Amino acid sequence: MVRRYYRSPSPTSTIFMLRVQIWSFSCQMEPVPSSIPDFVDSRQGNDTGDAAEAEGFMHRVDEISVQIDKLEKRVIEIEQFYLARGDAQQNISKASSTLKDKDKEKHITSIRKQQQDSSRREGAAAKRMQELMRQFATIFRQISQHKWAWPFLDPVDVEGLGLHDYYEVIDKPMDFSTIKNKMEAKDGSGYKNVREIYADVRLVFKNAMRYNDEKNDVHVMAKTLLEKFEEKWLQLLPKVAEEEKRKVEEEVEFQFDMQHAQEAAYANMARDISNEISEADMNLKGLREMVIQRCRKMSTEEKRKLGIALTRLSPEDLTKALEIVAENNPNFQATAQEVDLDIDAQNEYTLWRLKVFVKDALAIKSRSAVAIDSVDNDNIDDNKKNNSKGRREICDAVVKSAIKRTKKVV
């Protein structure tokens, strides 16, 4: 008995196939009330021994189902990691969210080690920066002690000097006393690096040159001191640039180490998941062999009804049914657009799995149709004048829908 089915291909993951196997075992072990006449449950074995055996099967299936649920969550975690791996900070924040306990412990240990190393590097970098700031303080002291530095030692007395437009010209006032106080601050509000101090010292002179005319004494004094300051700064600049380059390199190294640690943890996790999936698959195969031994042979009439019922499935359900067939038939092209299925060539295990699957799928489809009919009937009652016409339209629509959904059978 060979039937041809047309289907739309869809991808199938390992986790999904394990779920299909678990679902099929559950259906075979638990009697399901039949709402479709062609598929009345005809399994045998109603004595106490068979009931106990069925309960044992279900217990094992439940255990594997729980295991698959956990595996699926860990697979999703790995997928999210590799999708977001381009953003190092995002990876760090997600790194320990749902890892398996033993993987999480290794992962956290590795991350903590990297963080400790980073803290040590940051501490050393802070000391080096403090040394640079000490050297800069010497330059600052030399400039502030110059005989022409007196106009810049304290904030500009805007009101006393009658400089009513000062704040219209100068956006950010700055002076040496403000810089000195910020350099000596111990409450965390001070400068973090040399370039911040350098920028404020330049700002003092730039403000004076901007507000005062070129021929003004303050302008000339500011320009002269700025030139002297820049000369001294150029002597310190190579050390500053070297430290900045070193800091960038250490940050890149830290990010690389963190990324490497995360990738190693997730690679180990992926390997363990692969092994656990293989183990779960082996357990399911063992259960399958036991179920095969308990399956009675399906009659020719039952096979015929099964073949017909397959044509009544939706495209999605037919895809799943063909995947069930493909599991035990390596040469069966389940993903082809046009599929020839020989019902008589299938083993009993596959036939019974198909029967249970089709029975459940058609039952769901039947319940959906009843719900739709109920809604349609309510609408018809609201419009009694067009009752007869409405029923004809509904019947025509159901027929057309059935024609569209029916698979082509050869």
Side-chain angles (χ1 to χ4, degrees):
M1 183 189 302
V2 179
R3 293 185 180 274
R4 179 167 297 170
Y5 303 91
Y6 297 90
R7 60 178 299 282
S8 299
S10 61
T12 303
S13 66
T14 302
I15 293 290
F16 170 74
M17 293 309 298
L18 289 175
R19 288 195 179 281
V20 169
Q21 292 187 57
I22 290 174
W23 175 86
S24 65
F25 279 126
S26 300
C27 289
Q28 292 183 59
M29 293 300 102
E30 293 181 337
V32 181
S34 175
S35 60
I36 303 176
D38 288 345
F39 286 86
V40 178
D41 187 14
S42 57
R43 290 192 296 265
Q44 297 177 346
N46 295 319
D47 57 16
T48 304
D50 289 340
E53 183 181 17
E55 184 176 352
F57 275 124
M58 284 307 305
H59 180 69
R60 292 184 61 184
V61 169
D62 289 341
E63 289 179 344
I64 297 176
S65 180
V66 171
Q67 181 184 6
I68 296 302
D69 288 337
K70 294 179 179 179
L71 286 174
E72 188 171 38
K73 292 179 181 179
R74 292 163 62 196
V75 167
I76 293 174
E77 172 70 12
I78 293 176
E79 290 177 347
Q80 291 177 343
F81 170 76
Y82 283 105
L83 287 174
R85 63 186 298 180
D87 186 342
Q89 187 61 37
Q90 185 176 1
N91 288 340
I92 293 174
S93 65
K94 290 184 177 181
S96 58
S97 57
T98 57
L99 283 172
K100 191 178 178 183
D101 290 341
K102 64 178 183 179
D103 293 330
K104 183 184 292 185
E105 183 177 352
K106 295 178 182 178
H107 181 74
I108 293 177
T109 300
S110 178
I111 296 298
R112 284 177 178 173
K113 183 178 182 302
Q114 298 299 330
Q115 291 175 339
Q116 291 172 357
D117 292 342
S118 177
S119 297
R120 285 193 291 269
R121 287 196 295 265
E122 289 177 357
K127 291 181 179 180
R128 295 193 301 270
M129 182 56 67
Q130 286 296 326
E131 174 60 24
L132 290 174
M133 292 174 72
R134 187 189 65 79
Q135 296 179 34
F136 186 90
T138 301
I139 298 175
F140 177 72
R141 186 168 54 254
Q142 293 173 352
I143 295 298
S144 61
Q145 291 176 353
H146 193 278
K147 62 180 181 179
W148 286 354
W150 62 267
F152 317 112
L153 295 179
D154 298 308
V156 176
D157 185 5
V158 176
E159 293 184 2
L161 298 174
L163 308 178
H164 304 296
D165 62 342
Y166 186 80
Y167 294 114
E168 296 177 4
V169 178
I170 303 303
D171 297 328
K172 182 181 178 183
M174 186 57 61
D175 63 278
F176 286 172
S177 64
T178 300
I179 294 174
K180 185 175 183 295
N181 291 334
K182 194 171 181 181
M183 289 175 65
E184 296 174 351
K186 305 296 183 182
D187 59 357
S189 62
Y191 294 108
K192 301 299 187 294
N193 57 68
V194 177
R195 284 195 182 273
E196 291 181 355
I197 316 176
Y198 165 74
D200 277 354
V201 173
R202 290 188 81 252
L203 182 61
V204 172
F205 300 130
K206 289 293 185 179
N207 283 348
M209 294 167 63
R210 182 177 182 182
Y211 187 77
N212 297 280
D213 185 78
E214 292 183 0
K215 296 181 180 181
N216 186 286
D217 290 342
V218 174
H219 183 103
V220 174
M221 296 164 71
K223 183 176 181 180
T224 302
L225 289 180
L226 177 59
E227 291 174 354
K228 292 181 178 296
F229 171 69
E230 292 288 4
E231 289 177 1
K232 295 180 179 296
W233 167 254
L234 288 176
Q235 297 175 7
L236 183 63
L237 184 58
K239 295 181 180 180
V240 176
E242 181 182 355
E243 177 58 28
E244 290 172 340
K245 179 181 179 183
R246 182 173 182 177
K247 183 175 179 62
V248 171
E249 290 176 346
E250 288 180 349
E251 179 64 22
V252 170
E253 181 181 358
F254 168 72
Q255 294 294 340
F256 176 80
D257 291 342
M258 289 288 287
Q259 183 74 14
H260 180 72
Q262 293 169 27
E263 289 179 354
Y266 278 97
N268 292 333
M269 182 179 174
R271 183 192 62 233
D272 293 342
I273 288 178
S274 178
N275 294 335
E276 292 181 42
I277 288 177
S278 298
E279 181 181 354
D281 190 48
M282 291 297 296
N283 291 335
L284 287 172
K285 287 181 179 179
L287 286 177
R288 180 178 61 188
E289 295 300 325
M290 296 180 187
V291 172
I292 290 175
Q293 296 176 4
R294 301 289 296 173
C295 289
R296 67 168 177 80
K297 290 186 177 182
M298 187 176 290
S299 67
T300 302
E301 179 63 16
E302 287 176 313
K303 293 179 182 179
R304 185 187 69 80
K305 291 180 179 180
L306 175 59
I308 296 174
L310 284 169
T311 65
R312 296 162 55 193
L313 295 176
S314 66
E316 293 79 10
D317 287 336
L318 181 57
T319 294
K320 296 177 182 179
L322 294 177
E323 287 170 354
I324 292 175
V325 176
E327 285 185 42
N328 294 302
N329 295 271
N331 297 326
F332 182 71
Q333 300 296 325
T335 59
Q337 189 70 23
E338 183 178 313
V339 179
D340 290 331
L341 175 60
D342 187 352
I343 299 294
D344 295 327
Q346 308 307 312
N347 58 40
E348 297 300 324
Y349 174 72
T350 299
L351 291 175
W352 282 107
R353 287 186 64 190
L354 284 175
K355 179 175 180 178
V356 173
F357 173 80
V358 171
K359 172 184 175 181
D360 185 68
L362 293 181
I364 294 175
K365 182 179 178 181
S366 177
R367 287 194 295 270
S368 299
V370 170
I372 293 174
D373 288 342
S374 176
V375 173
D376 289 338
N377 288 333
D378 289 341
N379 292 334
I380 292 172
D381 290 338
D382 293 337
N383 194 4
K384 292 182 179 180
K385 292 181 180 180
N386 297 322
N387 191 31
S388 178
K389 180 180 178 181
R391 287 180 179 176
R392 286 197 301 273
E393 291 177 351
I394 292 173
C395 292
D396 292 341
V398 170
V399 171
K400 291 180 181 178
S401 176
I403 293 174
K404 290 180 180 179
R405 293 182 180 180
T406 301
K407 295 294 181 177
K408 181 177 179 181
V409 180
V410 178

